[in-house]
Amino acid sequence: RRRRDCHARRPPRAVSAARRNTENMASLTGSALVPKALSSRVATSASFRAPAATPGPASRGALQVVAASKKKDVRLTITLECTEQKESGVAGMSRYMTQKNRRNTSGRLELMKYNPYLRKHTLHRELKK
């Protein structure tokens, strides 16, 4: 059997569709289709064009910029606090900052974490915000 060489000749990498479109648009910059001042991405994007259906003096010659909508953050930063330390009367409070996924863990998070004041692992619960 022949041993397969890890540096054997590999097939050429496929060019992505976005890069291919950029190269095609770069060849058209000299024509009247795309102005030289605008990049190919801005020229082809529909969100930067002026609306054609709303005639009037306010929209004439102006570009309309549409802002992207902000999605709800799925990952939340939460605080975990020790449940046994209040009862023991030891000074200080063991707290940990961590993150949780809102979709997977909708209820309160409870984890066994190390409490340096009590020098043992105790139950830590998520605090209310």
Side-chain angles (χ1 to χ4, degrees):
R1 289 185 182 181
R2 279 181 60 183
R3 198 168 138 222
R4 192 168 200 191
D5 189 13
C6 65
H7 299 289
R9 189 170 185 276
R10 295 182 183 155
R13 296 172 83 187
V15 178
S16 68
R19 186 170 182 164
R20 205 175 312 117
N21 289 341
T22 306
E23 291 169 357
N24 290 343
M25 292 304 289
S27 66
L28 296 175
T29 53
S31 67
L33 294 176
V34 179
K36 284 187 178 182
L38 295 176
S39 70
S40 62
R41 182 173 285 168
V42 174
T44 59
S45 175
S47 62
F48 290 102
R49 291 186 191 150
T54 56
S59 65
R60 197 174 297 157
L63 292 177
Q64 181 181 6
V65 178
V66 179
S69 62
K70 188 175 180 182
K71 293 184 178 180
K72 280 189 174 181
D73 210 14
V74 176
R75 295 202 70 81
L76 297 173
T77 303
I78 59 166
T79 305
L80 299 173
E81 186 177 68
C82 180
T83 56
E84 297 176 23
Q85 192 162 352
K86 289 179 184 176
E87 301 159 4
S88 66
V90 177
M93 184 53 67
S94 172
R95 288 187 173 160
Y96 285 92
M97 297 289 286
T98 186
Q99 289 185 341
K100 78 168 187 177
N101 190 321
R102 184 185 299 176
R103 291 187 187 143
N104 296 339
T105 315
S106 57
R108 291 260 183 98
L109 192 63
E110 294 182 350
L111 293 174
M112 294 295 286
K113 302 289 278 184
Y114 181 73
N115 187 332
Y117 299 101
L118 299 177
R119 296 188 185 122
K120 64 179 184 177
H121 282 82
T122 58
L123 183 67
H124 285 66
R125 282 200 185 112
E126 179 182 340
L127 288 178
K128 290 182 186 177
K129 283 262 174 171

